[in-house]
Amino acid sequence: MAFKYVILGGGVAAGYAAREFANQGVKPGELAIISKEAVAPYERPALSKAYLFPEGTARLPGFHVCVGSGGERLLPEWYTEKGISLILSTEIVKADLASKTLISAVGDTYKYQTLIIATGSTVIRLTDFGVQGADAKNIFYLREIDEADKLVEAIKAKKNGKAVVVGGGYIGLELSAALRINNFDVSMVFPEPWCMPRLFTAGIAAFYESYYANKGVNIIKGTVAVGFGTNGNGEVTDVKLKDGRVLEADIVVVGVGGKPLTTLFKGQIEEEKGGIKTDSFFKTSIPDVYAVGDVATFPMKLYDEIRRVEHVDHARKSAEQAVKVWDLIKRLNSNFYVPNSVMMLTEMFLKAFCIDLDTYFQFAIFASEQGKSISEYDYLPYFYSRAFDLSWQFYGDNVGETVLFGDSKPTSPTHKFGSYWIKDGKVVGAFLESGTPEENKAIAKVARVQPPVESLDQLATEGLTFATEM
Ligand code: FDA
Ligand code: NAD
């Protein structure tokens, strides 16, 4: 099969890219999405939240993209109407970028003219470290919907049982809460001195740890799982910790991090910081190949640094940015009928003067002809999480000194508190628990504008008003 455009991967970025392709007028038959998963693109964050709840449960088709950002829900019929081929339950096992060919596990061949790599991340497994018994039944990881379905079945089968959650990051915190809501006796184990260490300060973490403890979650810090006991059916029965403790378990959920799925392209494409290196328009080192979402290592203009981001907001926005760029080049070609040889000569000429071809086209030719341009991706990092009745948002960069503000007592009825990160005398990051939409907007603005601060004490006293009155 041959397509003009192929999106490899059928997750969040793929769904948002498809919507943008449709907005830009992709023709029927031109675009295909190839996905290992059996369902159309959906909002992955739901899997660790309402998908697991005993009440108010989320199920497909309720959370297909793009509902997560308040947009239209793209049901499978939408793709049919637009003439977009959804090639599901199809794992690509070989990619040859030189011949523009993808080969599936059953040997089918897919040719493309332009490829968007949107393969996302996969989980790090305890079996990767040779942890004894880590392949036992009822040890779960959570990335895709079929894994969430297996977990839901186990939650029903082991009703009111004991669960051990290994990992103290996003999955650890969200799954401990979901299992507790399902009335499991939950222990959460992680090696660091406090939970979510890659974002939380000790002060922020102290609130969540106490809050979780009050909800009945047993938090065990500073140690790791080194083995699992099993019964005659091969089901997990206990978790052995490095410090010698043994925890009974009917279910274990592991969230010890993810890694971007770049293996198909190893040696064929430039990589950096574990991901596929792109420019600000998500073009990779290979012509006609783009990378978006979790797999892309892109220039983060705000910090003048290249980074990879494993969060849904960036997956959505990077996908839209990549397709907009594609559309611009396509329209440029069709509007001006530039032959390939002329394009190549122009590119060589511009490169000699260190001018990027796209930048030239976007800001010079197309902008002036159409009165339109596409700016470089200028991403403000945005992460969030929800668990129990808590909900936090973070914007910016978590570097430098920190100031905790507000009411962070775990027993407080409002628990509205937050933190600022200050670097070189400027506020560069802001975190807020239980903010209103306006307050969240205000902290986002602070992180983007990076206002100067003279005194950290004064900032702590002003707290949230520093953001809301800016
Ligand atoms: P994504 O993982 O969504 O999609 C990748 C797709 O590619 C999958 O369909 C996969 O099957 C497919 N694929 C991979 N290799 C393939 C191959 N060889 N052949 C065919 N198909 C292939 N973020 C956030 O900001 N807030 C949140 O609350 C959450 N919550 C959350 C919960 C859970 C359970 C997870 C796992 C993740 C989150 N995230 C999150 C992170 C967020 O979901 C993530 O950053 C985006 O889904 C990334 O979007 P991508 O499209 O890049 O990958
Ligand atoms: P993570 O990086 O957030 O957390 C990994 C945690 O694993 C570490 O904090 C550490 O506590 C723990 N750990 C590491 N080695 C360990 C070991 N040997 N034993 C016990 N604990 C160990 O990764 P995650 O929570 O697994 O999440 C996976 C992916 O899913 C990430 O890309 C994340 O961004 C995404 N996700 C995001 C959200 C969100 O943004 N709200 C929610 C769920 C998942």
Side-chain angles (χ1 to χ4, degrees):
M1 267 182 277
F3 296 93
K4 201 164 181 186
Y5 312 105
V6 166
I7 302 172
L8 176 55
V12 174
Y16 280 75
R19 181 177 67 167
E20 193 57 37
F21 266 109
N23 288 344
Q24 307 286 1
V26 73
K27 294 195 188 77
E30 284 187 335
L31 172 65
I33 293 177
I34 305 178
S35 178
K36 185 156 67 65
E37 291 187 89
V39 296
Y42 58 89
E43 302 283 2
R44 196 165 305 286
L47 297 185
S48 52
K49 304 174 188 70
Y51 204 80
L52 305 175
F53 294 169
E55 284 162 27
T57 320
R59 283 290 175 270
L60 289 178
F63 60 97
H64 280 298
V65 298
C66 303
V67 290
S69 58
E72 183 192 354
R73 188 161 50 117
L74 309 185
L75 297 171
E77 304 85 270
W78 179 88
Y79 297 86
T80 314
E81 277 161 27
K82 300 285 176 198
I84 299 171
S85 302
L86 259 187
I87 303 170
L88 301 176
S89 305
T90 301
E91 183 177 9
I92 294 299
V93 292
K94 191 164 188 283
D96 182 0
L97 298 182
S99 65
K100 299 191 162 190
T101 309
L102 306 173
I103 298 171
S104 76
V106 296
D108 291 335
T109 298
Y110 301 92
K111 301 282 272 182
Y112 62 82
Q113 289 174 33
T114 298
L115 176 68
I116 298 190
I117 302 170
T119 42
S121 299
T122 188
V123 295
I124 295 171
R125 292 177 180 271
L126 292 179
T127 43
D128 298 344
F129 314 118
V131 176
Q132 176 252 325
D135 54 356
K137 288 182 194 151
N138 294 333
I139 298 181
F140 298 97
Y141 295 84
L142 186 56
R143 184 78 210 176
E144 299 191 344
I145 199 158
D146 56 342
E147 292 164 314
D149 286 335
K150 285 181 195 143
L151 178 57
V152 168
E153 268 173 44
I155 288 173
K156 284 186 190 143
K158 302 288 179 185
K159 205 168 185 304
N160 303 335
K162 289 186 193 311
V164 174
V165 176
V166 179
Y170 285 99
I171 292 284
L173 284 164
E174 292 183 7
L175 266 290
S176 295
L179 288 162
R180 191 71 202 104
I181 291 166
N182 277 286
N183 212 27
F184 271 70
D185 178 346
V186 181
S187 297
M188 176 169 47
V189 186
F190 51 89
E192 296 93 348
W194 66 77
C195 66
M196 190 79 87
R198 69 175 167 136
L199 177 63
F200 289 179
T201 61
I204 295 175
F207 166 82
Y208 291 99
E209 288 176 12
S210 300
Y211 193 92
Y212 272 55
N214 291 344
K215 290 280 184 188
V217 176
N218 174 28
I219 296 177
I220 302 171
K221 305 193 259 189
T223 189
V224 292
V226 289
F228 298 92
T230 53
N231 63 19
N233 297 326
E235 293 177 331
V236 70
T237 51
D238 58 69
V239 183
K240 296 169 190 16
L241 303 184
K242 197 175 182 183
D243 66 8
R245 278 182 276 185
V246 178
L247 307 170
E248 284 178 50
D250 300 302
I251 287 180
V252 173
V253 177
V254 182
V256 294
K259 52 183 178 194
L261 273 171
T262 59
T263 34
L264 284 173
F265 310 100
K266 282 262 177 280
Q268 303 186 63
I269 205 161
E270 217 174 304
E271 289 190 46
E272 199 148 340
K273 296 190 173 172
I276 296 172
K277 191 178 174 194
T278 75
D279 65 12
S280 304
F281 306 99
F282 296 98
K283 293 184 74 183
T284 68
S285 57
I286 303 298
D288 304 325
V289 179
Y290 295 75
V292 294
D294 281 11
V295 284
T297 302
F298 61 96
M300 196 163 300
K301 199 175 167 189
L302 193 57
Y303 307 126
D304 195 20
E305 203 177 284
I306 70 162
R307 291 193 191 177
R308 210 170 54 73
V309 172
E310 289 179 5
H311 289 275
V312 75
D313 179 58
H314 159 70
R316 295 168 180 154
K317 289 177 175 159
S318 59
E320 285 167 356
Q321 170 85 349
V323 179
K324 277 184 187 138
V325 173
W326 155 80
D327 173 65
L328 193 82
I329 291 166
K330 179 204 73 175
R331 276 196 279 167
L332 184 78
N333 281 324
S334 62
N335 286 350
F336 296 97
Y337 300 104
V338 188
N340 265 350
S341 53
V342 176
M343 295 270 285
M344 279 166 64
L345 280 172
T346 314
E347 189 165 11
M348 277 165 61
F349 170 79
L350 293 168
K351 272 191 180 152
F353 292 96
C354 300
I355 303 167
D356 178 68
L357 183 70
D358 286 344
T359 311
Y360 174 75
F361 279 149
Q362 278 149 224
F363 302 116
I365 304 178
F366 195 82
S368 62
E369 295 290 332
Q370 306 275 319
K372 214 175 154 184
S373 71
I374 291 176
S375 317
E376 285 175 291
Y377 193 61
D378 186 7
Y379 188 64
L380 173 69
Y382 162 44
F383 315 143
Y384 71 89
S385 182
R386 291 190 296 272
F388 295 118
D389 59 344
L390 303 172
S391 171
W392 60 257
Q393 298 199 359
F394 166 83
Y395 295 87
D397 214 7
N398 58 322
V399 291
E401 291 177 275
T402 58
V403 156
L404 191 68
F405 63 81
D407 181 3
S408 59
K409 280 194 297 295
T411 48
S412 135
T414 62
H415 43 72
K416 185 172 296 205
F417 75 97
S419 186
Y420 294 117
W421 280 257
I422 303 99
K423 193 181 163 210
D424 301 332
K426 291 188 291 188
V427 184
V428 293
F431 174 99
L432 184 61
E433 167 59 49
S434 300
T436 63
E438 292 71 32
E439 289 163 346
N440 287 327
K441 246 188 225 161
I443 62 157
K445 190 173 168 196
V446 165
R448 167 66 75 183
V449 173
Q450 302 186 347
V453 274
E454 271 160 32
S455 145
L456 298 191
D457 291 340
Q458 166 102 19
L459 184 61
T461 312
E462 284 182 37
L464 189 53
T465 54
F466 175 83
T468 52
E469 290 179 6
M470 195 178 78

